Amino acid sequence: MSHSHSDRRNRGSLGTVLLAGACCAGAVAYAVLVAPSMLPPQDVETTNVTTPEVLGSVIEPEEESTDLDGPVGHLRINVSDRGLAWVQTLNCTGDLAVDPEPCAVMAEASAEFAGDPAAGGSESESKTDEEGADEGATGEQLFTEVRSGTVCTDKVYGPQEAAIEGTWEGEEIDTTLSRKGSCEEARWQRLRAVTEQIG
């Protein structure tokens, strides 16, 4: 074998060795410098998003909590206002999610009325307070008429009048409302959800 042929052969193997070394060095540099930046931070927990547990917690809405139980009742209301008159009905099933809005307003009025010692009321209301059963106003209490002897102003707040009959929270209701005098106006405002036109 000639000397020149041997030199070419050594140069060829030297080039291969250098190329292989450069590739290895590149791979090591990539592994050391680039690969760690592609990993998640150590304090972050990785989760497979397609697991049913994760999807379930994302898709399922939180249950709404309501402080008030809906009232149960059926009322027929006759309202007159400056020569106009209308008749409307209100049905409340106790489920505030599906009942008309006036049912929720009446539930709030009942809760406020039960907690207001200045609201006045009938003898049956006094008995309820004495017995300590004060969870909420009963139908009779919410629609109670003004007791005789109650001090009220004579101011007329409006010409509107209403007659309400039906059942409310297991009680028979048959009462009339007006806006003549401060006590009657207080009743009107308390029961406004049923005297206003129900949409």
Side-chain angles (χ1 to χ4, degrees):
M1 185 184 307
S2 70
H3 188 309
S4 64
H5 184 69
S6 172
D7 280 348
R8 271 190 239 139
R9 203 169 175 170
N10 287 338
R11 275 188 241 150
S13 23
L14 180 61
T16 305
V17 169
L18 289 175
L19 183 60
C23 288
C24 288
V28 169
Y30 181 85
V32 170
L33 299 175
V34 178
S37 68
M38 297 171 67
L39 295 174
Q42 291 183 358
D43 59 342
V44 175
E45 182 179 328
T46 58
T47 309
N48 183 355
V49 179
T50 59
T51 60
E53 295 81 16
V54 173
L55 286 177
S57 65
V58 171
I59 293 171
E60 292 176 11
E62 292 183 18
E63 291 183 17
E64 294 180 13
S65 62
T66 54
D67 296 334
L68 295 172
D69 290 330
V72 176
H74 173 80
L75 299 175
R76 184 172 189 268
I77 306 109
N78 297 308
V79 183
S80 64
D81 181 4
R82 297 180 187 92
L84 299 174
W86 63 89
V87 178
Q88 57 193 15
T89 58
L90 177 65
N91 291 307
C92 301
T93 64
D95 184 354
L96 292 179
V98 297
D99 283 346
E101 185 180 347
C103 297
V105 175
M106 291 294 285
E108 291 172 10
S110 179
E112 288 173 12
F113 184 71
D116 184 3
S122 62
E123 292 177 16
S124 64
E125 183 179 321
S126 302
K127 288 179 188 173
T128 304
D129 290 343
E130 290 169 9
E131 293 167 7
D134 208 14
E135 284 295 309
T138 65
E140 183 181 345
Q141 292 168 337
L142 185 61
F143 292 89
T144 189
E145 295 180 3
V146 179
R147 287 185 287 190
S148 60
T150 303
V151 178
C152 308
T153 67
D154 292 336
K155 180 178 178 180
V156 176
Y157 293 85
Q160 297 87 354
E161 294 182 347
I164 304 172
E165 57 185 28
T167 58
W168 194 259
E169 298 288 43
E171 301 283 341
E172 291 292 324
I173 304 300
D174 187 2
T175 190
T176 57
L177 300 171
S178 74
R179 301 187 68 188
K180 297 174 183 169
S182 59
C183 297
E184 284 296 324
E185 175 65 7
R187 291 183 70 222
W188 185 275
Q189 293 302 323
R190 183 171 70 239
L191 301 172
R192 191 174 59 215
V194 298
T195 58
E196 291 179 347
Q197 289 192 357
I198 299 172

